[in-house]
Amino acid sequence: MKVLWIFAHPEQRSLNASLMREGLRELADHGHETQVSDLYAMDWKAVLDVGDVRTTGQGPDSGRLTVGAEQEHAYATGTQSEDVREEQRKIRWADTLVFHFPMWWFGPPAIMKGWFDRVLVQGFAFGLRGDDGRVLRYGEGGLAGRRALIVTSVGARESGFGPRGIHGYVDDVLWPLLHGTFWYTGMAPHEPFVVYGADRLTETGHREYARALRARLRELPDAEPLDFRSENGGDYDDALTLRPWIEPGGGGLAVHRRHEAPAAAEAEAPREVPGRSASPAPCQALTC
């Protein structure tokens, strides 16, 4: 594999940074190539603004900023800011993208959201059409042919992110990334790797999760992605609604997968990880 590891954590001594180093070593040991975008270390500019698209001082409409059109124009004319172009070069090189972050307020840190906003622009990641004029998205698109894996940590217990957990089922919480970003641009999303109770892990718990991450990465080349329905696969009508004979009476996010969510991979850490405190501390907003 050619793996681009996009990392968003401000502390190099954190649990997440330690797991990233474990993952990169595992990949190297098995002959895979890697590149890393460590967003905090890069001092990545998180805010999309006019400087991203008007590096020459002009755009298709040099008055009011029209973000989508001007991003597409800047991409097509090679006038995006250099930091954005460099990330796009890394994506072209990669066949696998790992997005690694602590979950803060039920999503990635702002610096990673800014990476999505600035890098995955119209004309590059989405907004493309096939030879027949069809819009290429949800299973097709500019990033088709690539895998996407989330590695994240939460302060809460696993049960709280289960199908009946108060925080919401973790795949649903991560839906905007798994389906709305990865699948939308054509990438094949894989089951997220989640570290639970991260702010209460002991050394034993850390070793268990490190082992599980290494196993997940070893299996990734042959692993099946999440089974989302593709827009142009025949399941949706012209109004982009599931056809009436598919999941009749159903609704919500689950109907957009072909089967029930698979059980967690056996290689993942067990539900009660040895070395994790049983203390029912609340999920922290900013942890790990």
Side-chain angles (χ1 to χ4, degrees), residues 179-223:
H179 192 268
T181 304
F182 304 160
W183 190 235
Y184 185 88
T185 58
M187 289 190 284
H190 285 254
E191 192 72 33
F193 183 91
V194 185
V195 177
Y196 296 97
D199 52 348
R200 303 187 299 282
L201 280 186
T202 65
E203 286 298 322
T204 302
H206 173 267
R207 286 194 297 270
E208 289 290 324
Y209 272 112
R211 176 197 60 78
L213 178 59
R214 291 194 301 268
R216 172 64 76 87
L217 294 171
R218 285 195 301 272
E219 297 164 359
L220 189 58
D222 300 315

Side-chain angles (χ1 to χ4, degrees), residues 69-269:
E70 294 204 37
Q71 281 187 313
E72 184 172 20
H73 174 79
Y75 171 72
T77 58
T79 55
Q80 295 171 291
S81 59
E82 177 55 30
D83 58 343
V84 170
R85 292 201 300 270
E86 175 60 20
E87 294 305 295
Q88 291 169 347
R89 284 192 286 266
K90 293 176 185 176
I91 293 172
R92 290 191 194 94
W93 167 85
D95 58 35
T96 303
L97 279 69
V98 175
F99 296 90
H100 188 169
F101 56 89
M103 192 184 296
W104 291 350
W105 293 113
F106 295 88
I111 198 168
M112 182 168 281
K113 177 58 166 64
W115 188 93
F116 291 121
D117 291 347
R118 298 183 63 223
V119 175
L120 303 187
V121 302
Q122 189 167 317
F124 170 65
F126 72 101
L128 287 73
R129 291 183 179 271
D131 294 338
D132 58 359
R134 292 180 300 114
V135 176
L136 302 179
R137 60 190 176 195
Y138 292 119
E140 302 175 287
L143 305 187
R146 294 171 176 83
R147 307 174 188 85
L149 173 67
I150 289 174
V151 177
T152 190
S153 63
V154 298
R157 292 170 289 177
E158 184 173 5
S159 56
F161 276 99
R164 294 172 60 84
I166 192 170
H167 304 305
Y169 181 45
V170 69
D171 283 13
D172 293 347
V173 172
L174 293 170
W175 176 268
L177 289 178
L178 295 171
H179 192 268
T181 304
F182 304 160
W183 190 235
Y184 185 88
T185 58
M187 289 190 284
H190 285 254
E191 192 72 33
F193 183 91
V194 185
V195 177
Y196 296 97
D199 52 348
R200 303 187 299 282
L201 280 186
T202 65
E203 286 298 322
T204 302
H206 173 267
R207 286 194 297 270
E208 289 290 324
Y209 272 112
R211 176 197 60 78
L213 178 59
R214 291 194 301 268
R216 172 64 76 87
L217 294 171
R218 285 195 301 272
E219 297 164 359
L220 189 58
D222 300 315
E224 289 294 324
L226 297 175
D227 48 356
F228 291 131
R229 301 178 188 275
S230 61
E231 178 175 335
N232 292 315
D235 289 346
Y236 297 93
D237 60 22
D238 290 341
L240 302 183
T241 301
L242 278 175
R243 299 186 185 279
W245 57 85
I246 298 174
E247 300 282 352
L253 305 182
V255 300
H256 299 289
R257 293 184 62 173
R258 293 187 177 278
H259 306 288
E260 293 182 359
E266 291 181 359
E268 296 256 358

